[in-house]
Amino acid sequence: MALKVAAIKEAAPGERRVALTPEAVGRLRAVDIEVLVETGAGAESWFSDDAYEQAGATVLDADDLAKNADVFVSIGRPDASMVAALRPGQTVIGLLRPLTDPAYSAGLATAGVTAISLDGLPRTVSRAQSMDVLSSQASVAGYRAALTAATVYDRYFPLLVTAAGTARPAEVLVLGAGVAGLQAIATARRLGAVVRAYDVRPASAAEVESLGAQFLRLTSVQAGAGEGGYARALTAEEQQAQQDELAAHIAKHNVVITTAQVPGRRPPLLVTEAAIAAMAPGSVVVDLGASELGGNVAGSKPDETVLTAGGVTIVGAGNLASDAPAAASAAYSRNVCALLTHLVHDGALVIDLADEIQAGIVIAHEGAVVHGPTNALLNPAAAGEPSTESATPDSSSRQDTGGDAANTDPANRGRAS
Ligand code: NAD
């Protein structure tokens, strides 16, 4: 019998994406997976129930879905009513944020549900790249960040020479040149802006310059590359020096787009109140790091646009991927298909914690939390000691490889995906 994988309707307010698109149905059938879809799950991404049915999926209401599916895929976390309906042996796959809310995953473990969280994927493992939802969603968010900035900014992005005179191009500064930042740079360049960018990882300079932008080299901060291609957290002194030196650059730009994240930490504050006060009226700041934990920009609020007394518009853009739900869902869905193809053999989900990819993403299995970093948060007293909860022959390797997973959890980094 084929494994039944269900795409649920997202629970988070304002979330417009869906984890599987109709295109996934054929791909998954080819590996003996049957697709179920909750009624209306794709509507906000313009994928109708009919489109899923025509592709060969079965559309069901939430109750029937809970009864019939073996695996539930989502973008965010299933809500409490959905979790209450789950039974032992079922599996949930999504961005579960185990490192900011380990109790949620512990609850799934207690219910006997296998929890797989895509934010722990080891991103530098080349065979995991096709499953990398953090990159696919960050790329959409970076693109939308540049478009959002261009729309909110009350002047042109490109240089325009017209009979009515010449309009100077916008000067755009992108802070943080990871996946989202590079996409924001490329998009702002395509719109004709003059773009500069800064990142604490010196390796990003070549990538920035290859997109036709200028890389800012700060003199006050040492290189900040950490593990796994990510940035390290700066010391308080470094952070202060960075903010001070950046402020002078920020004041010279019309638009600032911030995308800086440090795994396991609140997003670093890069744009202070003083820096915003020094910007010209009409300037625009888009903060992709905006979250309940705080963002890259003083005064930014998630999903809110704030106009300062000095005439600077601050857009708190914590979930911009959801603003382009059709593109974001299509990419997420392909990532999920790649993951399921990796996990499913002969119509069954095969959990193997010795696998480097699974060690990063399998959080709960067979009634226990099996992910080392999540266990360390749940049992701080035992942290550093072998876990008693999952003391199986596999658990030591899980503990080790899971260390990287802790560093890749975007939830701790304060964003939805
Ligand atoms: P991220 O979302 O964790 O952070 C965004 C950017 O913010 C990073 O470039 C980081 O260096 C920067 N940053 C953090 N603190 C900063 C500060 N104080 N000041 C300025 N910038 C700061 O990063 P990401 O987009 O997920 O990518 C992280 C790394 O992973 C990059 O090196 C990227 O190329 C790499 N990556 C590799 C693969 C792969 O090998 N397959 C896939 C995806 C990403």
Side-chain angles (χ1 to χ4, degrees):
M1 209 170 69
L3 188 81
K4 292 192 177 103
V5 172
I8 65 167
K9 197 167 161 55
E10 292 298 314
E15 179 55 75
R16 297 175 60 202
R17 293 169 289 174
V18 62
L20 288 177
T21 65
E23 189 215 18
V25 180
R27 285 174 186 253
L28 293 177
R29 276 193 154 177
V31 288
D32 209 13
I33 294 173
E34 191 182 322
V35 175
L36 312 180
V37 180
E38 185 173 346
T39 309
E44 296 267 348
S45 304
W46 311 110
F47 302 116
S48 66
D49 291 349
D50 282 352
Y52 283 106
E53 280 176 336
Q54 278 163 22
T58 306
V59 177
L60 297 172
D61 66 23
D63 288 345
D64 284 339
L65 205 74
K67 279 183 210 135
N68 287 296
D70 302 303
V71 177
F72 300 87
V73 289
S74 60
I75 296 199
R77 306 190 309 189
D79 64 11
S81 65
M82 170 96 210
V83 171
L86 295 175
R87 56 173 198 276
Q90 288 179 317
T91 296
V92 169
I93 300 177
L95 290 160
L96 305 181
R97 297 190 275 124
L99 300 186
T100 41
D101 185 5
Y104 181 90
S105 294
L108 292 176
T110 305
V113 171
T114 295
I116 296 180
S117 191
L118 295 170
D119 32 29
L121 194 81
R123 298 169 77 194
T124 47
V125 173
S126 54
R127 66 200 168 93
Q129 282 177 18
S130 58
M131 312 166 197
D132 184 356
V133 299
L134 293 185
S135 284
S136 71
Q137 304 306 292
S139 185
V140 178
Y143 167 74
R144 293 295 291 195
L147 296 186
T148 301
T151 305
V152 175
Y153 182 52
D154 283 341
R155 294 173 187 267
Y156 290 114
F157 259 35
L159 167 82
L160 279 190
V161 182
T162 73
T166 300
R168 289 184 13 206
E171 308 255 350
V172 174
L173 176 61
V174 177
L175 300 176
V179 179
L182 291 172
Q183 193 58 252
I185 293 166
T187 308
R189 286 278 303 144
R190 283 185 208 116
L191 289 173
V194 172
V195 184
R196 295 180 192 85
Y198 163 70
D199 196 290
V200 77
R201 289 179 302 108
S204 62
E207 292 168 317
V208 166
E209 285 161 358
S210 74
L211 294 171
Q214 187 189 331
F215 189 77
L216 286 186
R217 287 177 174 78
L218 298 196
T219 55
S220 61
V221 188
Q222 296 298 307
E227 286 178 14
Y230 289 102
R232 68 174 169 85
L234 301 184
T235 64
E237 294 74 29
E238 285 176 315
Q239 207 173 9
Q240 179 72 56
Q242 185 188 54
Q243 288 167 358
D244 292 346
E245 194 174 353
L246 277 178
H249 293 286
I250 290 165
K252 292 182 200 143
H253 288 81
N254 311 112
V255 170
V256 176
I257 297 170
T258 66
T259 73
Q261 304 279 350
V262 177
R265 310 270 172 162
R266 107 183 248 302
L269 183 71
L270 301 180
V271 184
T272 60
E273 240 175 88
I276 291 167
M279 294 181 85
S283 301
V284 174
V285 182
V286 177
D287 183 6
L288 258 68
S291 74
E292 300 302 339
L293 302 172
N296 295 143
V297 180
S300 75
K301 298 203 170 70
D303 305 321
E304 277 186 40
T305 296
V306 178
L307 180 65
T308 69
V312 176
T313 303
I314 304 173
V315 182
N319 191 12
L320 273 184
S322 178
D323 272 10
S329 301
Y332 192 100
S333 173
R334 282 187 206 138
N335 295 145
V336 169
C337 287
L339 175 71
L340 287 169
T341 304
H342 176 68
L343 295 178
V344 175
H345 301 282
D346 299 328
L349 194 73
V350 179
I351 298 298
D352 171 13
L353 295 164
D355 171 52
E356 171 175 33
I357 293 174
Q358 293 202 41
I361 59 176
V362 180
I363 311 301
H365 185 52
E366 292 180 338
V369 173
V370 295
H371 183 242
T374 306
N375 256 330
L377 291 168
L378 289 164
N379 308 300
E385 304 290 327
S387 164
T388 51
E389 193 176 349
S390 57
T392 65
D394 282 342
S395 64
S396 56
S397 68
R398 283 199 294 272
Q399 206 82 21
D400 291 340
T401 41
D404 282 341
N407 288 340
T408 58
D409 186 283
N412 265 0
R413 299 142 64 191
R415 64 184 181 197
S417 65

